[in-house]
Amino acid sequence: MSQDKKSFYITTTLPYVNSNPHIGFAMEIIRADALARFKRETGYDVFFNTGTDEHGVKIFEKAIENKKSPQEYVDEMSEHFKKLKETLNLSIDNFIRTTDSDHIEAAQAFWKKCLDSGYIYKKEYSGMYCVGDEMFVKEKDLVDGKCPNHPTQDPVFLTEENYFFAFSKFSNDLMKYFEENPNFVTPSFRLNEMKQMIKDGLEDFSISRIKEKMPWGIAIPGDDEQVMYVWFDALVNYISAVGWPNDEDKFKKYWTDATRVQFCGKDNTQHQSLRWQAMLLAAGLPLTNHIVVGGFLNSGGQKMSKSLGNVISPKDIVDEYGVDAIRYYLLRDVHPFEDSDVTMEKFKVSYNANLANGLGNLVNRILKMSEDNLEGNFNFNNDFNNLPAEYMEAFDKFNFQEAMNYIWKEISEMDQYIQDNQPFKLIKENPDEAKKMILELVEKLFNTAKLLKPLLPETSEAIISAISSNKKPEKPLFLRKD
């Protein structure tokens, strides 16, 4: 590997292992994967991290419910998330678990660093605690007495002596960073929300739980009676994954000297863009460069939940439609930054229109004409450079929908060209002109397949392979579903 490649670090949030992977996390990790593949193709040395968050009340309660020890439970559940690499065709470089010994050591080292810097202190605190969010919530933020993120759960009133992180001390530094880096949080309206939170006043937050009440967490250095609050522990994974604090070279390469991008859902925006950045400031470490925030996926106008029976499993979609079908839908049909409504009916309509009847049919038409009328020794440029500006800009803005729309505009133009010029008929009257048209279509299809590489990698490879052998695929790329 070339030593002069620029480093690029990408991470998702770490999902809790209290339930199986859902389509919302599939959306987040597929978007991160598309960016990772794009950056590799354009010459970057990429480190792509994901994993599982395995401590906290929710995990502890789930383990008891399933009559397992917490470690047995998380060992079993984390495997479902590991399998996403194969299920969703992901190019991840690292899968971290917050129960890994290296991560535990890093979380404790990070705690010590913040403590030594004077940003951790102990006090008694009373407040409403949302088990779903694993955090204390303010009375003013409750809706009908419930946390807005978990309206079916009653918050629990707790009084504990805990360790606190001096979040309030970082208001000025965080606002300065936001002002100096206007693209720090994408989309911009999420950045404005975070600025408003700073203006409203940041409050110190609890970063520990009493071990006797909640034993499933990382031990606090020097205090056997407390364990780390799950968010404090989990956020440290972003640097423990790249070698902090022991592997200085790796950390320098993939954090200090790299472009650092974190993907998250809108309910994680505060943790990623405010709390984690303040923690990095407390530890004297470089802040993240970009936080990319997605919306929620609802189904039939309602939040997905097991009780409503409207949860969509990414594995079920892949089993029936193929991996690139779900990648297509989540990258193009779902809004990149706002909430979207997803149903299997909408998925099927889009699949048939844009993949089976759209791209798949176009590939068959062009390659049938090529196979019948052209010699196959094509010499097209396979380098991933000199790409269309509109396509490049979409990735720079983390707007994968715009990148997909550009590609489908090209697909539509090829369809229209075939309809207008009908080279399959012209071949009898003017074979030279028809062959020229067909060759132009094959080259345009090849270039389109290149643009699909980061987004629909299997489809891209299948099209390029078919062009190189000058044969239409033996079976349709996307079978129409009735």
Side-chain angles (χ1 to χ4, degrees):
M1 183 177 285
S2 172
Q3 293 301 307
D4 58 0
K5 278 188 176 183
K6 292 181 182 176
S7 301
F8 205 97
Y9 176 68
I10 300 169
T11 184
T12 67
T13 52
L14 301 192
Y16 279 119
V17 292
N18 62 325
S19 61
N20 287 330
H22 57 76
I23 196 168
F25 181 64
M27 174 181 71
E28 180 179 320
I29 201 167
I30 285 170
R31 288 173 175 175
D33 181 69
L35 182 65
R37 289 175 181 274
F38 174 80
K39 287 298 178 182
R40 289 192 196 98
E41 291 287 352
T42 50
Y44 285 82
D45 180 357
V46 173
F47 190 91
F48 176 18
N49 176 60
T50 189
T52 44
D53 186 355
E54 301 181 11
H55 292 121
V57 177
K58 285 192 287 188
I59 306 298
F60 185 65
E61 291 179 348
K62 259 313 190 186
I64 293 170
E65 183 185 316
N66 285 271
K67 297 184 170 136
K68 298 178 186 293
S69 73
Q71 191 64 56
E72 285 173 332
Y73 177 76
V74 297
D75 286 347
E76 180 183 305
M77 291 299 293
S78 69
E79 287 301 313
H80 296 295
F81 290 86
K82 276 187 180 177
K83 287 175 182 173
L84 288 179
K85 180 171 185 177
E86 180 181 348
T87 303
L88 301 176
N89 191 14
L90 304 171
S91 61
I92 61 174
D93 298 297
N94 188 66
F95 187 94
I96 191 169
R97 299 176 56 188
T98 57
T99 53
D100 290 341
S101 58
D102 287 352
H103 171 73
I104 291 170
E105 182 186 346
Q108 291 173 327
F110 194 90
W111 178 284
K112 288 177 183 173
K113 203 160 183 63
C114 294
L115 181 68
D116 291 345
S117 300
Y119 296 111
I120 291 177
Y121 63 93
K122 203 174 188 182
K123 75 166 185 176
E124 187 173 279
Y125 180 79
S126 297
M128 302 303 292
Y129 188 83
C130 173
V131 174
D133 275 335
E134 300 260 15
M135 63 181 291
F136 283 97
V137 288
K138 298 176 187 174
E139 292 275 0
K140 69 180 181 67
D141 294 329
L142 299 177
V143 178
D144 297 325
K146 308 277 179 82
C147 168
N149 292 333
H150 298 89
T152 62
Q153 297 178 6
D154 290 318
V156 180
F157 186 81
L158 292 179
T159 297
E160 287 188 2
E161 185 179 42
N162 296 143
Y163 288 94
F164 275 70
F165 178 75
F167 194 30
S168 57
K169 292 187 178 181
F170 296 96
S171 297
N172 292 339
D173 287 339
L174 288 171
M175 185 62 85
K176 183 171 182 285
Y177 189 71
F178 280 30
E179 296 291 352
E180 291 174 352
N181 299 276
N183 297 319
F184 171 53
V185 178
T186 300
S188 59
F189 67 84
R190 297 286 178 218
L191 181 77
N192 291 334
E193 289 173 359
M194 295 303 103
K195 284 183 178 179
Q196 189 60 49
M197 288 188 92
I198 297 173
K199 290 175 184 175
D200 290 344
L202 302 180
E203 294 183 8
D204 298 355
F205 59 88
S206 171
I207 55 172
S208 74
R209 295 296 311 277
I210 294 175
K211 188 174 183 179
E212 186 180 353
K213 293 183 180 179
M214 213 300 294
W216 187 238
I218 294 177
I220 287 174
D223 189 339
D224 293 336
E225 295 180 356
Q226 303 253 345
V227 296
M228 284 185 206
Y229 164 72
V230 62
W231 276 103
F232 191 93
D233 143 30
L235 289 167
V236 177
N237 98 87
Y238 301 133
I239 56 173
S240 66
V242 286
W244 193 89
N246 296 321
D247 190 339
E248 293 180 8
D249 291 342
K250 184 177 183 181
F251 182 70
K252 183 175 188 300
K253 182 176 188 179
Y254 290 117
W255 188 267
T256 308
D257 293 346
T259 301
R260 304 172 292 279
V261 178
Q262 293 173 208
F263 283 80
C264 71
K266 68 178 185 180
D267 55 335
N268 276 313
T269 314
Q270 179 190 167
H271 294 292
Q272 309 298 317
S273 62
L274 292 178
R275 293 188 172 197
W276 173 231
Q277 306 312 312
M279 288 163 62
L280 287 167
L281 285 167
L285 298 173
L287 306 194
T288 309
N289 297 115
H290 301 288
I291 310 285
V292 186
V293 184
F296 286 159
L297 294 186
N298 301 315
S299 187
Q302 294 178 296
K303 188 173 181 179
M304 289 188 196
S305 74
K306 288 179 183 177
S307 59
L308 291 172
N310 63 352
V311 173
I312 297 174
S313 161
K315 185 178 184 305
D316 290 347
I317 295 177
V318 172
D319 288 346
E320 183 175 355
Y321 290 89
V323 63
D324 276 1
I326 190 171
R327 289 179 69 104
Y328 167 84
Y329 189 82
L330 294 175
L331 289 168
R332 188 176 186 220
D333 286 357
V334 167
H335 194 283
F337 308 119
E338 296 181 3
D339 292 358
S340 296
D341 195 77
V342 177
T343 65
M344 287 312 300
E345 290 78 11
K346 289 179 182 179
F347 182 93
K348 184 177 175 181
V349 167
S350 176
Y351 171 88
N352 281 332
N354 298 302
L355 294 177
N357 297 343
L359 176 59
N361 186 49
L362 177 71
V363 170
N364 274 354
R365 293 176 78 188
I366 292 175
L367 289 178
K368 179 69 169 69
M369 289 189 289
S370 178
E371 185 180 342
D372 290 345
N373 300 290
L374 301 181
E375 298 297 325
N377 298 317
F378 304 122
N379 187 26
F380 301 135
N381 181 4
N382 198 27
D383 291 340
F384 207 76
N385 51 30
N386 297 320
L387 301 174
E390 190 178 334
Y391 174 85
M392 294 284 286
E393 287 167 8
F395 278 93
D396 289 343
K397 296 186 294 182
F398 311 108
N399 193 326
F400 308 102
Q401 186 180 61
E402 283 188 4
M404 293 289 269
N405 285 342
Y406 178 86
I407 293 169
W408 255 259
K409 183 180 71 174
E410 297 286 298
I411 289 167
S412 177
E413 287 175 1
M414 282 185 269
D415 266 328
Q416 192 63 48
Y417 183 86
I418 293 170
Q419 186 177 322
D420 292 344
N421 295 283
Q422 301 187 336
F424 50 89
K425 289 185 179 177
L426 185 64
I427 197 76
K428 295 175 183 175
E429 302 165 15
N430 189 342
D432 288 344
E433 182 64 22
K435 286 180 181 180
K436 182 182 174 187
M437 287 181 181
I438 294 167
L439 182 61
E440 287 175 356
L441 282 165
V442 174
E443 184 169 13
K444 192 160 189 180
L445 181 63
F446 182 89
N447 289 331
T448 298
K450 279 202 306 185
L451 299 184
L452 284 171
K453 271 186 181 182
L455 304 157
L456 309 184
E458 278 191 2
T459 302
S460 171
E461 187 178 339
I463 296 171
I464 290 172
S465 176
I467 290 172
S468 68
S469 61
N470 197 29
K471 289 185 182 294
K472 75 181 183 68
E474 292 182 9
K475 59 180 182 179
L477 291 178
F478 301 98
L479 283 169
R480 180 175 171 77
K481 301 289 182 177
D482 296 322

